[in-house]
Amino acid sequence: MTYQNHITQTAQLISSQNGTWDGIDAEAVARMRVQNRFQTGLDIARYTAAIMRKDMAAYDADPANYTQSLGCWHGFIGQQKMISIKKHFGSTERRYLYLSGWMVAALRSEFGPLPDQSMHEKTSVPALIEELYTFLRQADARELGGMFRELDAAREAGDELTEQRLLQAIDNYQTHVVPIVADIDAGFGNAEATYLLAKKMIEAGACALQIENQVSDEKQCGHQDGKVTVPHEDFLAKVRACRYAFLELGVEDGIIVTRTDSLGAGLTKQIAVSKEPGDIGDQYNSFLDCEEIDPATARNGDVILNRDGKLLRPKRLPSNLFQFRAGSGEDRCVLDCITSLQNGADLLWIETEKPHIEQIAGMVDRIREVIPNAKLVYNNSPSFNWTLNFRQQVFDAWTAAGKDVSAYDRAKLMSVDYDGTALADEADERIRTFQRDAAARAGIFHHLITLPTYHTAALSTDNLAKEYFGDQGMLGYVKGVQRKEIREGIACVKHQNMSGSDIGDDHKEYFAGEAALKAGGAHNTMNQFAA
C-alpha cells in the first residue's frame, strides 16, 4: 500500500466514526504505519525467508552473488551495522545479520561470561533476535521520520518537485530489516526441546536456523577440542523438529543450516543403530576406531560390533565415549552434508580448523557429485590467525613452485618484520579476495564472521581508555571518537536522535498538537551537530 493510500484509507475510517475520531490526523496515522511495517516477528521471518530464497537462487545462477553477515551481540550493534551499510553502499541487498551462540554465552547470559558450551539460558537466544529486530525497526522509523520532516519542509516551501521525489522515496523505502542466521547450537536438549526453542526463535523473527551435530550436553565451541558428534538419525530428528516449527508457524520457506563439526570431532557418545549393512547407522559406525577380536578374548563390559562376519571392538575411552579413526574427519563431513541435504536441510556449514579454500572445495566437490546445488554457510572465524595462515599458504605455494623463500622463517611469519614484503602482500591479497574466491571455487553462498563486534568493542574501548586515562585526557575522546563521528557521518553522533527523541516528539505532536512539550527545540545541544 502506498503512503497516499494509507492516508486515504485512514481518512475514510476516521470519517465513519461520526466525529468522535476527528482529533486523529490521517496522515499522522499513515506515517506511524509506514514507520512500523512489520507487526510481528512472524511477519519478519516470512519476509526475510523470501529474501534468502531469492538470494540462494541468484547465487546458483552466479556465485558472484554470495552473501555476507557479521555477528552482532546487541540490538544497537546490529542497527549501526545496517545503518552503515545503507550509508556506504546504498542498499542492504545480500547483507544479513548473524546471531552467534558464542557471543550470547559470553555476553548475554545471566550467569555472566560463559564458554560456548550451551550453558547459557536458551531463552536468551530468541530474546536477542527480538532485540535485534526492535533496533532495526527503530532505524526504519528514525530514517523515515527524517524524510517526513523533509516532506513537510518541501510542502511549506511550495517545492512540488522535492515533494514528489520524497513521496516516491517513501513508497520505495528499503528497510533495515534483513535476514538473521540464528545459532540454535546443538538444540539445547532432545528433539522436543529443539522444536520448542525453534518456535520461539521463529516467532521472534528468525528465518534461518543453524544447528550442529554435536551432543547437546557435551557441546563445545567449533574451534575447541573435545567435540562429540551424534549419529545421523539423532541429528536428523532435530532437523525435522526445526522444519515442523517453521511449517506450524506458516514460514513455509524457512531455512535450515546444518553444521557438521566432524572434521574436528574425534569422538561419539553413541554407536548408531544399524538394521542392515550399508544403512546410515552402519556407515556412521564404519568410522569407529575398532580392533578385531576373538570371542574368547572379549572382556567384561565390551561393546562388540559384527561387520562382514568379523567381531570388532570399538575403542572406548574412560569417559565412556567412543573414538573415530584418525584421518576420517573429511569423509564423515561429506557423509554428514549429503545426509542432511537429503533430509530437509537447505544449506551446509562445515566447521574447519583453518581458512583454506582448496580444503573446503575438496569436500564440496564430493558433496556436489551427489547434490549438484549444494552450498555452504562459512565461518570466517576470528579463531583463525588469518595473517599467519595465509602467509604460510603463500610460503608453501612458493616453495612448491621452486621460488626462493630463504628470506622467510615459516614458523615466524606473523612477525611485523615481514610486513610490506612481497610474501605478506600476496597473503593480504588472498585474504582480501578470500570470500569472492571461495564463493566461486568452494560453493560458499554465505560468508559470516561469528565474533567481529566482540573484538571491535574490545579494541575501540582499549584505544579510548589508553588515551582518555593517559596524557590526552578529554582530547582522547574528542580526537579519537567524536571528531571522527562528525567528519565520517556516523549517525549516532546525534545520540538523542538515535535513541528516538525525534520520533517521540513527532508522537507528542500527533497526540497533543500545539500543546506538545517537545525536546527538539532551539536549546537542544544536538543542534551543535547539524553541520
Side-chain angles (χ1 to χ4, degrees):
M1 187 180 295
T2 66
Y3 179 62
Q4 188 57 54
N5 285 343
H6 275 298
I7 296 172
T8 301
Q9 183 189 72
T10 306
Q12 292 171 349
L13 178 61
I14 291 169
S15 66
S16 71
Q17 301 302 310
N18 300 318
T20 60
W21 286 12
D22 285 356
I24 303 295
D25 180 75
E27 185 159 13
V29 173
R31 292 182 176 187
M32 295 173 79
R33 286 181 175 178
V34 170
Q35 287 174 298
N36 187 27
R37 172 179 174 180
F38 301 99
Q39 302 300 309
T40 69
L42 286 176
D43 292 336
I44 293 172
R46 295 183 186 110
Y47 169 78
T48 53
I51 290 174
M52 278 196 73
R53 291 290 178 180
K54 175 178 68 70
D55 289 347
M56 289 161 67
Y59 174 82
D60 287 340
D62 182 354
N65 294 319
Y66 62 89
T67 57
Q68 299 168 292
S69 66
L70 297 175
C72 299
W73 53 272
H74 191 279
F76 176 73
I77 300 295
Q79 178 198 65
Q80 293 304 300
K81 175 188 133 179
M82 297 315 302
I83 287 173
S84 176
I85 286 171
K86 286 193 75 172
K87 180 183 76 171
H88 291 293
F89 304 104
S91 172
T92 61
E93 288 186 6
R94 301 202 303 276
R95 276 95 176 194
Y96 305 164
L97 295 182
Y98 179 65
L99 187 153
S100 161
W102 192 103
M103 286 206 284
V104 172
L107 299 172
R108 302 303 300 263
S109 171
E110 292 184 9
F111 290 98
L114 293 171
D116 184 21
Q117 296 172 352
S118 291
M119 294 189 290
H120 55 281
E121 310 86 354
K122 61 184 179 182
T123 53
S124 59
V125 182
L128 179 53
I129 297 169
E130 184 175 6
E131 176 182 293
L132 284 162
Y133 280 128
T134 296
F135 274 79
L136 294 184
R137 291 162 66 196
Q138 193 262 10
D140 283 356
R142 170 189 166 274
E143 189 171 31
L144 283 161
M147 295 167 72
F148 295 144
R149 282 183 164 76
E150 292 181 49
L151 180 62
D152 290 340
R155 287 172 174 171
E156 189 173 341
D159 186 348
E160 293 186 7
L161 188 64
T162 299
E163 178 184 357
Q164 291 305 311
R165 177 183 62 79
L166 285 165
L167 288 171
Q168 185 176 25
I170 291 165
D171 285 341
N172 294 287
Y173 179 78
Q174 185 179 51
T175 177
H176 292 83
V177 170
V178 296
I180 287 179
V181 178
D183 186 359
I184 198 170
D185 277 32
F188 286 88
N190 61 16
E192 174 69 6
T194 301
Y195 155 77
L196 292 171
L197 178 56
K199 279 184 64 177
K200 287 295 183 185
M201 293 170 70
I202 298 162
E203 288 170 342
C207 72
L209 304 179
Q210 168 227 322
I211 186 166
E212 59 204 65
N213 70 333
Q214 291 191 51
V215 176
S216 187
D217 59 353
E218 300 281 357
K219 181 257 188 312
Q220 293 278 15
C221 171
H223 293 283
Q224 292 184 316
D225 204 356
K227 292 187 290 183
V228 184
T229 63
V230 297
H232 294 90
E233 285 298 344
D234 296 49
F235 182 60
L236 295 176
K238 294 185 177 183
V239 173
R240 287 190 288 270
C242 291
R243 182 63 67 200
Y244 272 106
F246 274 124
L247 293 174
E248 177 183 342
L249 295 172
V251 186
E252 296 181 0
D253 51 358
I255 289 91
I256 298 174
V257 182
T258 51
R259 173 176 136 183
T260 172
D261 280 281
S262 291
L263 195 62
L267 304 170
T268 184
K269 196 168 187 176
Q270 299 167 261
I271 293 177
V273 173
S274 174
K275 297 179 180 178
E276 58 186 45
D279 65 14
I280 193 63
D282 188 45
Q283 292 179 67
Y284 186 80
N285 294 338
S286 71
F287 296 112
L288 292 169
D289 187 2
C290 299
E291 60 178 339
E292 186 176 353
I293 65 166
D294 185 306
T297 63
R299 300 187 297 252
N300 185 55
D302 271 352
V303 172
I304 299 174
L305 298 178
N306 179 3
R307 178 177 297 123
D308 299 327
K310 298 178 182 178
L311 296 182
L312 305 176
R313 178 166 54 208
K315 185 171 184 179
R316 193 179 195 179
L317 306 181
S319 60
N320 202 28
L321 299 172
F322 297 94
Q323 185 169 295
F324 290 114
R325 294 194 314 276
S328 66
E330 288 202 5
D331 290 338
R332 285 183 281 125
C333 278
V334 171
L335 180 60
D336 294 343
C337 291
I338 292 171
T339 303
S340 292
L341 291 174
Q342 289 174 334
N343 287 272
D346 302 290
L347 295 168
L348 304 170
W349 174 319
I350 300 176
E351 194 77 311
T352 67
E353 82 289 357
K354 59 182 180 291
H356 194 291
I357 291 175
E358 285 306 315
Q359 178 198 34
I360 305 163
M363 289 182 278
V364 171
D365 287 346
R366 294 171 61 189
I367 297 164
R368 286 184 162 179
E369 288 176 5
V370 180
I371 302 170
N373 70 338
K375 43 193 169 288
L376 271 61
V377 171
Y378 186 70
N379 179 8
N380 293 222
S381 177
S383 295
F384 303 142
N385 184 333
W386 286 76
T387 301
L388 180 61
N389 264 289
F390 276 83
R391 287 182 180 182
Q392 289 180 339
Q393 287 181 38
V394 173
F395 181 96
D396 294 342
W398 283 12
T399 301
K403 294 182 70 171
D404 181 11
V405 293
S406 60
Y408 304 96
D409 183 341
R410 190 181 187 279
K412 299 178 179 179
L413 287 174
M414 184 65 202
S415 172
V416 68
D417 295 339
Y418 294 120
D419 290 0
T421 63
L423 184 146
D425 289 345
E426 182 173 329
D428 281 354
E429 179 62 12
R430 289 191 182 198
I431 294 171
R432 187 185 73 82
T433 64
F434 174 80
Q435 294 189 340
R436 181 194 70 194
D437 297 341
R441 172 67 186 96
I444 298 176
F445 158 73
H446 185 70
H447 284 277
L448 61 90
I449 310 178
T450 43
L451 319 176
T453 52
Y454 177 90
H455 292 278
T456 54
L459 179 61
S460 61
T461 302
D462 179 80
N463 289 335
L464 175 59
K466 177 179 63 177
E467 299 296 327
Y468 176 73
F469 292 103
D471 293 340
Q472 294 298 301
M474 193 58 197
L475 183 61
Y477 173 77
V478 172
K479 188 176 180 180
V481 181
Q482 191 181 75
R483 195 175 295 168
K484 289 184 177 180
E485 285 181 308
I486 295 169
R487 292 176 175 173
E488 295 178 23
I490 305 300
C492 70
V493 71
K494 298 182 180 181
H495 49 257
Q496 306 287 12
N497 167 271
M498 186 57 63
S499 70
S501 64
D502 287 338
I503 297 171
D505 276 357
D506 292 339
H507 293 170
K508 290 174 185 177
E509 189 169 5
Y510 300 161
F511 305 154
E514 294 182 357
L517 181 64
K518 297 193 288 186
H523 298 294
N524 189 322
T525 59
M526 190 170 66
N527 295 326
Q528 296 173 23
F529 301 99

